[in-house]
Amino acid sequence: MHKNSLILSALTVLAAVPAVAATPDTARHQAQIDQIVQEISPARIEGYINKLVGFRTRHTMSDTVSETEGIGAARRWIKSELERCGASQGGRLQVAFDSHIAPVSARISRPTEIVNVVATLPGTQPASVDRMYVVSGHYDSRNTDIMDAKGDAPGANDDASGTAAVMEMACVMAKYKFDATLVFMTVAAEEQGLLGAAHWAEQAKQKNLNIAGMFTNDIIGSSRDEHGKVDNTQVRLFAEGLPVQKENSDAVRTLIQTGGENDSLSRQLARAVKEAGERYVPKFKVNVIQRRDRYLRGGDHMPFLERGYAALRFTEPAEDFNHQHQNIRTEKGVLIGDLPQYDDFNYIAQVARVNAAALSSLSLAPAAPAKVQVRTAKLQNDTELVWQANAEPDLAGYRIVWRDTSSAEWQGSQFVGKATEFTLPLSKDNYYFGVQAIDNDGNTSPASYPTPLR
Ligand SMILES: [Zn+2]
């Protein structure tokens, strides 16, 4: 009731503003994204997972010489599979190893080559090709003893599920065109301390790459909780608020000063992912959890967060810890271990569809507007927003969104055409605002949070 009245009263007031071009339809389905979502195949995902499990162990320090067992065989197979698929889908997918030697550390007993398999689909719009979205899963696995590089460690859920989802997305999406660049990454040494992802994220930072968003898929394999209850209608999306830093950056201090704890880059990205995921995958909820990760746990989004990038983690709704990080064994008649019979391939496909819809939507949309500011030089009850113009040739204009300070999701919106400033008859003290960029097809960027302009 309150929600509706906010939108209605705001729109009523806003009817007096100068007319702008018709609002693009931001709720429509893009045919290309519907097709991608449809093509994601549970059967192919099952095939990828069974093949990965067949390498017996994918422990980061396991055998690299054998053609049939260990992490070396696994990564060569992933690479060749992505190459084969890329070639059959138009030849635009660029597949490469990203390798480095990790020195001895708490979970690395001898210098070890850590190899990520990275498949890049270059963007096709010059104004957007430098903007990148990264999606990952980790292909290494582990046993109860983190240093056990020999025992069977199937890792069917943790994280063959995420690896298979990323391979399936790469393969399906490779034949389509997106404005921005997509990076499909399967990484190693997650279990040994997020080493593969950290190496790639550090290179990205040093090269000053524009990573506009990153998602890791880690433990997305099962819809069944430890009591046997099935919930295949949702996925958790972990989204950090304020980054954990010894000293706050200026950007973080500004967020704190203006009450923007829930408007970090990752939270804005999570809102966009939830919107696109739920639009294209019906009856499936993206449950945004407003924290970095589960207690006692971490994932490959963290090295990206630590370098200032927006990054999120997808994980199944209720984990069964008997099926993670456990030697295969039977206890009191119960089979323990991370085995493929505990995976739900239809469920994994649903999570892959949410990822693919969000990646497609973000990489077809313009960049989030830059230098969004709210004028605060004088005391007034209106909200004056200004921002920098976007460069994309297919830009339709900008949309201002707002919500109550106690709400997590946008409640009201106003399309303003190609203006680069706008005054709303709503108090900046009482609402949170954001500015989005929208293209002619209705593809919408994440919102940018305004910083104060004095
Ligand atoms: Zn994992």
Side-chain angles (χ1 to χ4, degrees), residues 85-159:
C85 190
S88 74
Q89 300 277 58
R92 288 164 43 243
L93 193 67
Q94 302 166 358
V95 186
F97 281 148
D98 164 52
S99 159
H100 80 287
I101 305 288
V104 173
S105 63
R107 292 180 167 195
I108 295 284
S109 59
R110 58 180 156 76
T112 300
E113 187 183 17
I114 311 292
V115 184
N116 302 321
V117 190
V118 183
T120 305
L121 187 66
T124 57
Q125 185 182 74
S128 300
V129 66
D130 290 341
R131 177 162 47 99
M132 305 167 89
Y133 297 92
V134 179
V135 62
S136 83
H138 71 87
Y139 71 92
D140 63 310
S141 66
R142 66 166 288 181
N143 244 321
T144 305
D145 173 5
I146 185 61
M147 303 308 281
D148 175 5
K150 293 221 157 65
D152 281 6
N157 191 350
D158 187 8
D159 185 30

Side-chain angles (χ1 to χ4, degrees), residues 138 158-159 190-191 218-219:
H138 71 87
D158 187 8
D159 185 30
E190 192 273 349
E191 304 290 6
D218 197 351
I219 311 177

Side-chain angles (χ1 to χ4, degrees), residues 279-296:
R279 174 149 47 107
Y280 286 98
V281 186
K283 298 190 183 128
F284 194 80
K285 180 181 172 183
V286 178
N287 181 19
V288 175
I289 309 275
Q290 296 191 342
R291 50 169 48 116
R292 184 167 67 157
D293 208 327
R294 302 101 75 228
Y295 283 101
L296 283 177

Side-chain angles (χ1 to χ4, degrees), residues 118-415:
V118 183
T120 305
L121 187 66
T124 57
Q125 185 182 74
S128 300
V129 66
D130 290 341
R131 177 162 47 99
M132 305 167 89
Y133 297 92
V134 179
V135 62
S136 83
H138 71 87
Y139 71 92
D140 63 310
S141 66
R142 66 166 288 181
N143 244 321
T144 305
D145 173 5
I146 185 61
M147 303 308 281
D148 175 5
K150 293 221 157 65
D152 281 6
N157 191 350
D158 187 8
D159 185 30
S161 65
T163 301
V166 169
M167 292 175 70
E168 176 66 4
M169 280 184 256
C171 198
V172 166
M173 293 169 78
K175 70 168 179 277
Y176 295 98
K177 289 183 175 164
F178 304 92
D179 293 350
T181 294
L182 295 172
V183 178
F184 304 92
M185 192 157 59
T186 72
V187 308
E190 192 273 349
E191 304 290 6
Q192 311 310 118
L194 317 177
L195 303 179
H199 178 259
W200 198 91
E202 180 59 25
Q203 301 299 307
K205 197 191 170 193
Q206 284 179 16
K207 290 183 229 163
N208 207 15
L209 295 187
N210 175 10
I211 312 290
M214 184 274 179
F215 331 143
T216 190
N217 286 269
D218 197 351
I219 311 177
I220 57 162
S222 173
S223 53
R224 188 180 295 265
D225 74 9
E226 63 195 42
H227 308 295
K229 188 167 164 273
V230 171
D231 179 359
N232 54 16
T233 63
Q234 60 172 315
V235 64
R236 288 184 290 172
L237 181 62
F238 287 88
E240 184 181 68
L242 298 177
V244 184
Q245 296 165 325
K246 282 217 177 72
E247 288 183 16
N248 290 326
S249 65
D250 286 349
V252 171
R253 290 154 65 97
T254 301
L255 282 176
I256 297 169
Q257 279 162 354
T258 58
E261 300 94 328
N262 198 4
D263 286 83
S264 65
L265 290 176
S266 295
R267 292 275 167 85
Q268 304 291 18
L269 182 65
R271 289 185 184 102
V273 169
K274 178 179 174 68
E275 193 285 321
E278 293 182 352
R279 174 149 47 107
Y280 286 98
V281 186
K283 298 190 183 128
F284 194 80
K285 180 181 172 183
V286 178
N287 181 19
V288 175
I289 309 275
Q290 296 191 342
R291 50 169 48 116
R292 184 167 67 157
D293 208 327
R294 302 101 75 228
Y295 283 101
L296 283 177
R297 308 297 288 273
D300 289 324
H301 56 315
M302 283 161 44
F304 288 82
L305 289 169
E306 284 156 13
R307 287 161 181 83
Y309 294 121
L312 307 169
R313 175 194 183 117
F314 283 102
T315 296
E316 65 196 28
E319 294 161 86
D320 183 338
F321 301 110
N322 273 343
H323 300 157
Q324 299 175 13
H325 302 190
Q326 298 282 345
N327 287 0
I328 301 166
R329 62 192 190 277
T330 301
E331 269 180 25
K332 294 177 190 153
V334 177
L335 180 58
I336 292 172
D338 192 349
L339 294 159
Q341 56 264 44
Y342 299 130
D343 275 351
D344 174 344
F345 306 111
N346 288 311
Y347 177 77
I348 300 168
Q350 287 289 75
V351 179
R353 290 176 184 123
V354 167
N355 275 262
L359 286 170
S360 302
S361 175
L362 289 164
S363 58
L364 289 168
K371 298 212 167 87
V372 178
Q373 295 180 298
V374 55
R375 288 205 180 103
T376 60
K378 56 179 192 231
L379 291 171
Q380 58 172 359
N381 286 311
D382 289 348
T383 298
E384 290 183 33
L385 294 163
V386 296
W387 56 92
Q388 201 175 68
N390 275 48
E392 295 87 354
D394 57 341
L395 184 85
Y398 305 93
R399 182 167 73 173
I400 298 172
V401 287
W402 61 85
R403 62 182 204 275
D404 279 328
T405 60
S406 57
S407 170
E409 293 176 39
W410 300 120
Q411 295 170 315
S413 70
Q414 169 75 33
F415 182 70

